Amino acid sequence: MSIEKLLNLEIDISSNNKTTIREQPSTVTILTHDYIMSSGSRYLMDLLQQVPGFWIGTDTIGTFSTSFRGVWGMEAKILLIIDGIEQNELAFGSLALGARYPTSNIHQVEIIRGPGSVKFGGQAALAVIRITSLIANQSNQSNQSNQSNQSNQSNQSNQSNQSISLTSDLGLASNHNINLHYIITGDNQIKQQKLKYGFSASFGHGDYSDKNWTALDAYQLPLKNNANSKPINLNVFLDIYQWKFNLQYEKFEQEDRLLFGDSGIFFSPNKKYTQKNHLSFLHQAISADKKWVIDDNFSLDIKFTYTNQKPWNSKGQYQHNVSRGLNRARFDLSGIYNLSKKSNIFFGTSYYYETAEITQSYLFDPKVRYQGKNTANNDDYSIYSQFETQLDWGKLTLGGRFEDHEFAGNEFVPRVSLTKLWQKLHLKLVYNEAFKIPQFDTVASAENANTPITKIEKTKSWEVETGYQFNPDLTITSNFYLQKINHYIGFNPQSANNTTLGDFSSYGAEVQLNWQLNKLYLNVSYSLFAIEKIT
């Protein structure tokens, strides 16, 4: 895709209606399928390293995650959505990466580089990552094709397309990664209804590192042949009777001989792991979504989602085992109304009920994990709205979200954005507020350590973005930001618990240059951030 086409690609991750990147009322990045395939990235983690502001690092038990603009975003701060279903695990709200979410089934990645709580809720305090899979995209393309050729579709025979791909790489130390991916999409005529379907499956295998790991007591362990990851992804998409159904199954297993147990700082006697332990994440979800077009100016969308997860489960030496399960049932209703050719309003409400149960743990007593019990539940409801209007001096966006969570209480966060687009120059002024909803085990670990969470983490963000298109093949974009975080909730690895760590600010700048010459594409970016504690 040329830079000219990329700049004119329309999305709605931050706006009400679909608009171009330069008109989005947030700092936004798009990674298209062509870019993803040419980047050489195997997994989502590889892609994020190419986006300004993101930096990949390691967390507990050898897992990977990402910081954004200098702030570690592992737990409930960066929201990942795939085909409309949230992926963050429900125990801590963590975004555990590594050899997960293969690029072989990704059509497009859209990222809000900044808070997104008004539209996406209490786990979008730093950024939002929204992925459209290949099967979901091909179904959408099929819908558009069917609408434009509806008179001819009834005479066509059933159609399907399928492909299989294998990717592998070999490192200097003879370590390897391999991923096998299969996809099939198509449509069938059922009586007078067109059934559109898609299925994809991917299986991966390989060490996530070939380096030597050094423990806190200087003990070293070679990760080659001791760091195997096994991602499995199954995805089913159905579209019939104007309903869209999505079924997701994702299992991630990883060998672990790191941190817990190996460093010897938590357990007595201080025994090293001499055998491979196994860490696993299981995500299963199903959603049903229907959109009603009332008239040319008014549409409604209703959605039901059920998610079942088993995150951070492990089996290891010395009976170092953890077993937990969580689920969430969610209802969403949203709509958009065009007040005029220049103004519209987006509105919505959501409700979810979630439960947690832990049956086994070597870090704490599972029988009293959640306020004296091994089970817990929460409910949450929210209402939100965003108004957009085109004025002579720019496009104004005003939004707000009220959310009431059983533990976190109620919060209201606003947002204001002003965007101005000239022929080659654009300018954005954005103010956002956001909040973090701490999940079950975040709250429980703090209480178990006698450092209970009493105040909810909140973020305020100011951004200025400007960009210039020199010609159809060369653009440059820069932004300056300041974000203040109050009552930051983080994980203390030395005591293995969550706690409130105080207030601080993060500020800096990001510059990105895109240049294309024939089939040569150059993407150069520079990010600068500084952290300052607020006394």
Side-chain angles (χ1 to χ4, degrees):
M1 181 177 293
S2 67
I3 292 177
E4 184 78 14
K5 288 183 178 180
L6 179 63
L7 292 177
N8 292 321
L9 188 65
E10 294 186 337
I11 58 174
D12 60 0
I13 187 171
S14 181
S15 60
N16 295 349
N17 289 314
K18 288 189 174 183
T19 64
T20 64
I21 303 174
R22 295 185 294 174
E23 295 174 293
Q24 287 290 303
S26 298
T27 300
V28 170
T29 293
I30 299 179
L31 304 177
T32 65
H33 182 65
D34 289 342
Y35 178 87
I36 293 169
M37 291 299 98
S38 63
S39 70
S41 302
R42 297 186 307 274
Y43 298 100
L44 175 63
M45 178 179 71
D46 306 321
L47 285 175
L48 292 179
Q49 295 186 81
Q50 303 175 39
V51 179
F54 286 90
W55 187 260
I56 301 300
T58 56
D59 205 281
T60 182
I61 323 182
T63 54
F64 290 82
S65 192
T66 179
S67 66
F68 182 68
R69 291 176 173 172
V71 182
W72 190 236
M74 174 72 157
E75 286 188 16
K77 293 178 174 65
I78 298 176
L79 180 64
L80 174 62
I81 303 171
I82 299 179
D83 294 340
I85 298 178
E86 297 181 359
Q87 305 294 307
N88 295 53
E89 55 87 6
L90 301 176
F92 295 92
S94 301
L95 176 58
L97 297 173
R100 301 181 75 183
Y101 314 114
T103 58
S104 55
N105 190 36
I106 295 179
H107 167 70
Q108 186 165 285
V109 181
E110 303 161 21
I111 301 173
I112 297 178
R113 288 160 41 211
S117 281
V118 167
K119 198 170 182 180
F120 295 99
Q123 292 191 352
L126 296 179
V128 179
I129 305 166
R130 187 170 73 177
I131 293 176
T132 302
S133 70
L134 285 176
I135 61 173
N137 175 69
Q138 292 189 19
S139 176
N140 292 336
Q141 288 182 336
S142 178
N143 280 336
Q144 295 171 2
S145 176
N146 288 337
Q147 290 173 1
S148 61
N149 301 283
Q150 190 171 7
S151 61
N152 299 324
Q153 285 292 325
S154 60
N155 298 323
Q156 294 183 359
S157 59
N158 299 336
Q159 298 179 355
S160 67
N161 298 285
Q162 55 185 324
S163 65
I164 186 168
S165 64
L166 177 67
T167 59
S168 180
D169 58 70
L170 186 65
L172 292 176
S174 298
N175 64 306
H176 70 280
N177 282 273
I178 189 170
N179 186 273
L180 177 67
H181 180 245
Y182 171 77
I183 182 171
I184 181 172
T185 60
D187 54 66
N188 285 303
Q189 194 74 27
I190 301 179
K191 295 182 179 179
Q192 300 299 318
Q193 292 292 327
K194 180 74 72 174
L195 166 66
K196 306 174 188 68
Y197 63 87
F199 170 76
S200 69
S202 66
F203 307 89
H205 180 278
D207 288 336
Y208 61 82
S209 178
D210 60 1
K211 305 299 182 182
N212 288 334
W213 179 78
T214 303
L216 298 179
D217 58 0
Y219 170 73
Q220 288 194 339
L221 170 74
L223 292 180
K224 182 183 175 183
N225 300 323
N226 288 299
N228 187 38
S229 297
K230 295 181 180 179
I232 300 174
N233 288 265
L234 304 176
N235 198 353
V236 179
F237 193 90
L238 297 174
D239 187 340
I240 189 171
Y241 296 112
Q242 297 181 336
W243 280 91
K244 293 183 178 181
F245 300 91
N246 189 12
L247 176 65
Q248 296 178 348
Y249 175 92
E250 191 256 348
K251 186 174 184 180
F252 177 67
E253 294 181 303
Q254 181 171 290
E255 290 179 352
D256 162 43
R257 288 179 62 182
L258 306 184
L259 193 59
F260 288 141
D262 184 72
S263 63
I265 62 175
F266 295 116
F267 309 106
S268 179
N270 297 330
K271 296 181 179 180
K272 302 292 184 185
Y273 281 0
T274 60
Q275 300 175 11
K276 298 175 183 177
N277 303 301
H278 296 275
L279 175 69
S280 67
F281 293 80
L282 176 65
H283 167 87
Q284 303 170 102
I286 185 171
S287 69
D289 185 4
K290 185 173 183 178
K291 184 175 183 178
W292 284 278
V293 179
I294 310 302
D295 55 38
D296 292 340
N297 295 316
F298 185 35
S299 64
L300 287 173
D301 192 284
I302 186 172
K303 186 174 185 178
F304 302 92
T305 309
Y306 178 77
T307 304
N308 176 265
Q309 295 181 344
K310 295 180 180 180
W312 298 106
N313 284 2
S314 63
K315 293 182 180 180
Q317 199 174 2
Y318 314 123
Q319 299 300 311
H320 287 175
N321 302 333
V322 175
S323 180
R324 57 161 60 89
L326 305 98
N327 61 73
R328 174 187 287 178
R330 176 168 179 155
F331 167 78
D332 290 272
L333 175 65
S334 61
I336 184 169
Y337 185 74
N338 294 320
L339 301 171
S340 66
K341 291 183 178 181
K342 294 185 177 182
S343 302
N344 61 76
I345 185 169
F346 172 79
F347 57 90
T349 182
S350 69
Y351 171 82
Y352 66 77
Y353 179 80
E354 57 185 6
T355 63
E357 180 181 17
I358 187 160
T359 57
Q360 190 176 17
S361 174
Y362 64 97
L363 289 169
F364 47 80
D365 184 356
K367 296 179 182 179
V368 296
R369 174 64 165 176
Y370 307 119
Q371 296 184 334
K373 300 183 295 182
N374 74 322
T375 62
N377 59 74
N378 284 321
D379 64 357
D380 175 281
Y381 71 85
S382 63
I383 55 174
Y384 50 92
S385 181
Q386 183 167 275
F387 170 74
E388 294 179 341
T389 184
Q390 183 66 53
L391 305 171
D392 292 338
W393 41 272
K395 185 176 181 180
L396 178 66
T397 302
L398 301 172
R401 184 186 191 96
F402 175 83
E403 189 152 355
D404 192 353
H405 186 268
E406 186 169 346
F407 170 78
N410 57 73
E411 295 287 342
F412 175 79
V413 289
R415 79 180 308 259
V416 181
S417 173
L418 175 64
T419 62
K420 178 64 175 178
L421 177 62
W422 293 273
Q423 288 185 346
K424 294 185 177 182
L425 177 69
H426 78 267
L427 175 68
K428 298 181 183 181
L429 304 175
V430 183
Y431 173 75
N432 272 305
E433 291 188 16
F435 61 97
K436 168 182 173 175
I437 293 179
Q439 288 295 118
F440 294 104
D441 284 86
T442 301
V443 176
S445 68
E447 291 179 345
N448 295 164
N450 295 319
T451 57
I453 296 171
T454 58
K455 296 182 179 179
I456 298 304
E457 179 181 312
K458 295 197 68 174
T459 301
K460 295 181 179 180
S461 172
W462 296 263
E463 295 180 80
V464 179
E465 176 182 297
T466 182
Y468 189 78
Q469 182 182 5
F470 294 94
N471 56 57
D473 302 318
L474 179 62
T475 65
I476 186 169
T477 304
S478 64
N479 63 75
F480 303 88
Y481 65 87
L482 167 65
Q483 56 184 5
K484 294 184 178 180
I485 301 180
N486 297 105
H487 316 302
Y488 179 85
I489 300 171
F491 182 76
N492 185 343
Q494 292 186 333
S495 57
N497 70 277
N498 291 83
T499 186
T500 301
L501 298 174
D503 306 337
F504 66 92
S505 63
S506 168
Y507 57 91
E510 297 157 352
V511 180
Q512 188 170 24
L513 181 143
N514 293 292
W515 178 64
Q516 188 172 23
L517 179 63
N518 296 326
K519 292 188 177 181
L520 175 64
Y521 185 85
L522 182 66
N523 180 355
V524 179
S525 64
Y526 180 78
S527 300
L528 173 69
F529 69 85
I531 302 293
E532 182 177 285
K533 186 175 181 179
I534 300 175
T535 57

